[in-house]
Amino acid sequence: MSKVTVAKFGGTSVADAEAMRRCAAIVTQTANTRVVVLSASSGVTNLLVDLARGTLSAAEQEIHLKKLKSIQDNILTELGNPSPLRETIDSILKEIADMARQANQNSDAALEDRLVAQGELMSTRLFTEMMNQLGHKAVWFDVRKIMRTDSRFGRATPAIEAIHNLAQQDMAPLLKDHIVITQGFIGANADGQTTTLGRGGSDFSAALLAEALGVDELEIWTDVPGIYTTDPRLVKEAHPIPEITFSEAAEMATFGAKVLHPATLQPAVRKGIPVFVGSSKDPAAGGTWVRESTESSPLFRAVALRRNQILLTLHSPNMLHACGFLAQVFTILAKHGISVDLITTSEVSVAITLDQTGSQSSGRSVLNETVLAELNAFCKVKVENDLALVALIGNRMSEVNGVGTQVFDAVSEHNVRMICYGASTHNLCFLVPESDASLVVQKLHQRLLGH
Ligand code: ADP
Ligand code: ASP
Ligand code: MG
């Protein structure tokens, strides 16, 4: 077969029938696009997450269910309400209502994932119908057959080898004659129970499928024409970056640029698959190519912002000249599946940051009572919220004189809580109060990345 591309469309790209038509045009423009990975239509996952939490009143639940139905109905009407799709969507909506009621009585993580997975199951059904009506040979594929994960509901870890084998066995043969339409974000454990990869996980799904199928390119279609120098919603002078390396883009995604899920680049890097990021609203506007190497490698490339950080300071006088304190801390965090972002240490304390946003599909806090109790048992624990992590992304930053002066001069009016610099030549990160975050990003961008 000639070149194969996996194309992923995010929530706004499949928000309604008109948006879906634009996706169909992008998919069919090149014969290479054989796998299409979709998010749920815009707003749907948020509604499902609310229902899954099991804390809505009966009246609120009804309003949520009506909103969900209306998003699906608008698309179905545009498609002419065809049978049996109408019945399929109705039965999914009924299942959602049943699960939401069940969640109100007794919610558990497995039920939450089954519920929030329904958005992608619906959007892919609708898009497959649209593609078929347009005369294309599209086939709906339940990704849970091949997207094998562990059982960590809400933020499951993919089983790379199993996904590769299953994708080769069950999906690859379809690509010859069909365009395969499948779900992002969702998977299943070895028992067949539905799992999810965490909020924004559809990018990651697409990259995992691209890796498993060994395709030539991955396209991420979203609502902006590429990866910008910073979030264009935050800084209007932000501009798209025509090309960026895997390492830089991975740092950006990890440290908060919402345009890519943090783990998206890992499979692409493992297989060296180039990634294109563009806007489904304006495909002609071009976008960003993420590749192994690029022509230019500027000192400063972009600024990323991740809000909602927790700063955890652990103080133990026993740490003085002692071994094993850090190991003890990290063993507890690892046992609870908590990943640490930044670390700084002093003689008797260690400060670490944890990401509170989007870490789990359900949005639950990563730091629960059990973890705190286990830490409290051997050290003094201080938890601070309302902090934001600012990351400056670039090249050879730790090898150039004066980087610190340039960066901290730009933000001299703000209280910088913690700094991490030097572990990677591609980033310099620091924490600031949440209330200062936007201004800090704007100032940094203006000073270091403005034209
Ligand atoms: P999708 O639903 O397509 O996955 P997302 O909302 O998850 O889209 O991601 C796209 C959004 O990411 C943009 O609308 C933009 O506001 C935000 N964003 C944050 N940082 C960046 C950046 N550096 N470049 C482009 N977009 C960014
Ligand atoms: N629908 C999921 C979410 O909103 C996954 C995604 O869109 O990537 O988080
Ligand atoms: Mg996204």
Side-chain angles (χ1 to χ4, degrees):
M1 205 172 5
S2 55
K3 278 190 161 187
V4 176
T5 300
V6 170
K8 176 261 172 177
F9 295 90
T12 44
S13 301
V14 292
D16 51 33
E18 200 188 328
M20 280 190 180
R21 270 194 207 101
R22 286 193 292 263
C23 301
I26 291 170
V27 170
T28 51
Q29 202 164 19
T30 62
N32 296 350
T33 310
R34 314 303 298 169
V35 181
V36 177
V37 178
L38 301 187
S39 291
S41 302
S42 188
V44 167
T45 310
N46 287 347
L47 290 166
L48 293 170
V49 166
D50 285 351
L51 290 168
R53 288 224 179 101
T55 51
L56 297 182
S57 68
E60 286 167 333
Q61 236 185 35
E62 278 317 305
I63 295 171
H64 274 60
L65 293 168
K66 275 209 179 104
K67 282 187 189 158
L68 280 173
K69 182 168 162 49
S70 120
I71 296 170
Q72 313 310 315
D73 280 358
N74 286 341
I75 304 173
L76 269 170
T77 309
E78 290 276 329
L79 293 172
N81 263 314
S83 240
L85 180 63
R86 169 84 262 176
E87 292 74 26
T88 307
I89 297 290
D90 280 344
S91 99
I92 296 177
L93 289 168
K94 177 163 181 312
E95 213 185 319
I96 291 172
D98 290 344
M99 287 192 276
R101 276 174 213 119
Q102 212 183 317
N104 264 28
Q105 275 152 24
N106 187 15
S107 190
D108 68 74
L111 175 67
E112 280 176 13
D113 268 7
R114 237 183 326 127
L115 222 174
V116 301
Q118 302 303 319
E120 273 71 9
L121 292 167
M122 291 192 286
S123 65
T124 46
R125 292 266 185 200
L126 293 162
F127 188 69
T128 308
E129 172 70 23
M130 177 176 283
M131 289 287 285
N132 286 329
Q133 287 190 8
L134 290 167
H136 305 292
K137 232 173 136 188
V139 61
W140 183 82
F141 188 94
D142 188 336
V143 84
R144 291 172 295 184
K145 287 202 285 191
I146 62 173
M147 188 58 70
R148 177 67 56 78
T149 70
D150 65 4
S151 299
R152 219 178 123 202
F153 298 104
R155 194 180 193 162
T157 303
I160 310 299
E161 205 181 315
I163 295 168
H164 172 264
N165 295 340
L166 292 165
Q168 288 297 333
Q169 182 189 298
D170 294 337
M171 190 184 265
L174 297 171
L175 307 191
K176 210 161 132 274
D177 297 319
H178 297 86
I179 299 174
V180 174
I181 315 293
T182 198
Q183 307 78 34
F185 181 52
I186 74 174
N189 64 15
D191 297 329
Q193 287 178 292
T194 302
T195 55
T196 60
L197 302 177
R199 292 304 306 266
S202 295
D203 303 326
F204 190 25
S205 304
L208 288 164
L209 292 176
E211 176 186 37
L213 295 163
V215 305
D216 304 279
E217 270 169 25
L218 168 63
E219 295 174 351
I220 306 279
W221 294 96
T222 178
D223 60 356
V224 281
I227 301 178
Y228 279 55
T229 46
T230 195
D231 188 343
R233 286 188 208 181
L234 211 61
V235 179
K236 65 177 189 318
E237 292 79 20
H239 41 93
I241 302 167
E243 52 167 16
I244 185 168
T245 59
F246 283 136
S247 323
E248 293 170 277
E251 296 279 358
M252 271 186 89
T254 306
F255 289 108
K258 190 186 172 220
V259 66
L260 289 179
H261 177 274
T264 310
L265 271 309
Q266 292 166 7
V269 172
R270 284 195 292 261
K271 280 283 169 75
I273 302 168
V275 181
F276 175 79
V277 182
S279 164
S280 68
K281 280 191 194 135
D282 189 7
T288 302
W289 275 105
V290 189
R291 295 198 176 93
E292 187 71 50
S293 63
T294 55
E295 258 176 38
S296 75
S297 42
L299 180 62
F300 302 124
R301 180 81 89 175
V303 184
L305 172 66
R306 195 152 77 181
R307 298 181 185 276
N308 240 325
Q309 302 300 296
I310 301 175
L311 177 61
L312 192 63
T313 310
L314 306 170
H315 177 91
S316 162
N318 300 338
M319 191 174 156
L320 200 60
H321 308 303
C323 317
F325 175 72
L326 290 181
Q328 229 174 328
V329 169
F330 285 103
T331 305
I332 292 175
L333 295 174
K335 192 176 84 188
H336 292 276
I338 297 176
S339 85
V340 170
D341 286 337
L342 310 187
I343 311 169
T344 57
T345 57
S346 84
E347 202 173 14
V348 286
S349 54
V350 53
I352 56 188
T353 69
L354 311 173
D355 183 18
Q356 176 82 329
T357 11
S359 44
Q360 301 211 6
S361 300
S362 64
R364 276 185 207 290
S365 172
V366 287
L367 206 58
N368 57 40
E369 294 298 321
T370 326
V371 187
L372 287 173
E374 286 181 31
L375 291 170
N376 261 315
F378 70 97
C379 59
K380 215 166 96 202
V381 181
K382 187 170 160 203
V383 181
E384 290 171 79
N385 293 294
D386 299 325
L387 292 163
L389 191 161
V390 177
L392 181 63
I393 314 295
N395 293 283
R396 301 181 54 232
M397 285 197 292
S398 56
E399 296 163 24
V400 174
N401 296 353
V403 166
T405 314
Q406 288 194 67
V407 173
F408 296 111
D409 240 24
V411 300
S412 60
E413 285 153 27
H414 303 271
N415 177 211
V416 173
R417 288 299 311 275
M418 180 178 185
I419 302 167
C420 281
Y421 177 44
S424 152
T425 60
H426 295 293
N427 87 41
L428 183 162
C429 302
F430 55 91
L431 274 190
V432 293
E434 177 82 47
S435 52
D436 293 20
S438 304
L439 204 53
V440 165
V441 171
Q442 283 157 11
K443 286 181 180 173
L444 264 186
H445 190 274
Q446 191 187 19
R447 185 76 73 89
L448 306 176
L449 291 154
H451 282 309

